[in-house]
Amino acid sequence: MTPDEMAALCSRAYHHMRPWSARQFADSLAQPTHLLEAHPQAFVLGQVVADEAEILALATDPDRQRQGHATRALLGFHAAAALRGAGRILLEVAEPNTAARAFYRAHGYDEIGRRKAYYPQAGAPPADAVIMARALP
């Protein structure tokens, strides 16, 4: 999946935050610590540093949600991160994004903290970021 395809998918999928641009994806993919698990309908972009992974972006085509695409991408990311030596994965999700939080909880993530007023929102006060984590086997 190219940076342009990732940006296009994000522009359709992200409703709780501003989507990443193709340039942001290209810059991220150029970093040796970054890891992309991409499928035609979904992707997970993250990074692995030492023994910890972080999910930076996950997107699924809105017309293909609830068909297992995001789950396949996430499980692929888990496996690839573990191969790079990660023992734990962290992520941040906007507090109002209850669907994403439920998705991550269903895949073994627990809420471990918050960043107050982290995500800007149009016409509303900034939303908290919920920090979630899970161990890798």
Side-chain angles (χ1 to χ4, degrees), residues 100-126:
R101 291 170 50 210
F103 172 79
Y104 289 120
R105 274 194 303 278
H107 289 88
Y109 289 80
D110 294 313
E111 296 183 10
I112 62 167
R114 287 183 178 260
R115 289 195 170 105
K116 295 289 187 187
Y118 187 78
Y119 289 107
Q121 299 187 107

Side-chain angles (χ1 to χ4, degrees), residues 1-49:
M1 184 174 283
T2 68
D4 287 329
E5 292 168 330
M6 294 168 73
L9 182 56
C10 276
S11 72
R12 294 191 315 274
Y14 282 21
H15 302 286
H16 291 87
M17 60 184 284
R18 180 166 48 187
W20 287 37
S21 70
R23 168 56 53 205
Q24 288 171 305
F25 281 118
D27 289 346
S28 288
L29 292 169
Q31 302 302 313
T33 58
H34 283 63
L35 175 63
L36 174 65
E37 181 68 28
H39 300 266
Q41 310 302 331
F43 72 85
V44 177
L45 174 66
Q47 63 181 345
V48 179
V49 178

